Amino acid sequence: MPLAIDLFCGLGGWTEGLLAEGWDVVGFDIKRHVYGEHHYPAQLVVQDVLTLHGSQFRDASLIVASPPCQEFSYMAMPWRRGKQIAAALRGDGEFPEGYTGSRTVADLTRLFDACFRIQREACEAVGRKIPMVVENVRGAESWVGRSKRNFGSFYLWGDVPLLIGRYKFFKNPGTEVYIRNNKLCTHRTSRTSRTRLTRVTGAGSASYQAANIAKVPMPLSRSIGRFYARKFARVG
Ligand SMILES: C[S@@+](CC[C@H](N)C(=O)[O-])C[C@H]1O[C@@H](n2cnc3c(N)ncnc32)[C@H](O)[C@@H]1O
């Protein structure tokens, strides 16, 4: 079975789809997410992705990654504090009082950039291209460049196949998610829907809901998994 690496694997949205398409998967996350019966579904390595060197993935045929998106999402919100942070990061004015986030653009994008460093190191180590798909939010585009494609609120960078299936079902279409006062909130950004703020209620902790809402939807992960499994079968 081909091996895929899931960086920032969380609850394993990428991994679930890849397993279903016949991949072996090893996930890396700084934290073991366990919320009752919900947990990462494959082998998990609890490690800071920044400490990884791509040469350890010489046996991998695919890398998928979902670096954290909270800061990008927050700055995409239509309120003054987010705009002030974005301006300060660009060298225009001061950071707001009590701000504890990234202070430079390099700091802001370092986990996103680490994915591409790891891919480059892996490819150099093995002497061939190992494809990688990185998922994040629309708000990241202002800082890391345009995405190749999006599935609802899931924006994709890297080696995104052009001909992956189209789905009627999008999880959280046009929605950005953030945590405020320990409550999970969503903000609709779709042009077709009115801007509104929703406080998400219901069972479970805010951290479970945040992890679950960030989970890559199965149709998307299966589609990428199927595309690269077929390609791997043809080439490898
Ligand atoms: C957007 S979530 C991943 C969602 C995941 N793809 C899914 O489908 O469930 C980002 C994850 O990055 C993890 N994380 C944050 N900083 C990290 C770091 N430095 N190294 C490894 N994981 C990190 C968080 O614990 C979180 O699970």
Side-chain angles (χ1 to χ4, degrees):
M1 275 199 264
L3 173 68
I5 301 300
D6 186 350
L7 302 176
F8 309 97
C9 59
L11 278 175
W14 277 123
T15 294
E16 278 179 10
L18 293 173
L19 291 173
E21 295 295 335
W23 291 82
D24 264 343
V25 189
V26 179
F28 291 80
D29 202 290
I30 206 157
K31 184 176 160 197
R32 185 181 299 276
H33 293 271
V34 181
Y35 311 98
E37 75 272 26
H38 304 285
H39 55 83
Y40 181 69
Q43 184 191 335
L44 172 69
V45 180
V46 178
Q47 188 174 343
D48 185 340
V49 163
L50 288 174
T51 67
L52 297 174
H53 192 281
S55 59
Q56 68 194 87
F57 303 134
R58 54 177 61 244
D59 294 333
S61 301
L62 175 66
I63 302 171
V64 290
S66 298
C69 58
Q70 287 91 336
E71 291 193 283
F72 299 131
S73 291
Y74 189 84
M75 287 188 285
M77 297 297 157
W79 49 64
R80 212 182 310 154
R81 188 179 161 88
K83 303 263 170 284
Q84 189 183 346
I85 295 167
L89 277 166
R90 294 199 157 98
D92 180 11
E94 300 295 318
F95 289 99
E97 218 182 299
Y99 174 71
T100 56
S102 300
R103 298 239 157 208
T104 63
V105 175
D107 198 20
L108 175 72
T109 61
R110 83 199 152 111
L111 294 178
F112 194 97
D113 297 340
C115 302
F116 289 89
R117 169 187 58 78
I118 289 166
Q119 180 196 26
R120 196 177 57 249
E121 292 165 349
C123 296
E124 281 168 9
V126 77
R128 66 176 158 79
K129 173 86 184 265
I130 300 174
M132 177 176 73
V133 179
V134 179
E135 174 270 322
N136 216 274
V137 292
R138 182 182 180 183
E141 287 191 320
S142 315
W143 305 96
V144 301
R146 283 201 69 172
S147 63
K148 294 261 175 72
R149 217 175 156 185
N150 73 293
F151 287 77
S153 57
F154 295 82
Y155 282 63
L156 304 176
W157 287 257
D159 305 302
V160 184
L162 284 175
L163 294 174
I164 51 179
R166 290 204 160 273
Y167 300 103
K168 293 208 168 66
F169 166 72
F170 290 148
K171 194 174 168 193
N172 319 314
T175 303
E176 298 276 8
V177 179
Y178 61 97
I179 294 183
R180 193 184 196 190
N181 302 332
N182 207 28
K183 293 278 190 315
L184 186 80
C185 305
T186 63
H187 171 240
R188 301 198 59 119
T189 55
S190 157
R191 285 200 204 101
T192 54
S193 60
R194 273 187 340 140
T195 300
R196 72 188 161 91
L197 238 65
T198 315
R199 187 163 278 195
V200 176
T201 55
S205 63
S207 32
Y208 166 62
Q209 289 193 21
N212 191 39
I213 211 151
K215 198 170 161 182
V216 171
M218 191 79 161
L220 174 55
S221 51
R222 280 198 80 147
S223 172
I224 299 282
R226 192 176 317 129
F227 176 89
Y228 278 113
R230 283 186 187 153
K231 194 162 178 182
F232 177 78
R234 278 199 304 275
V235 180

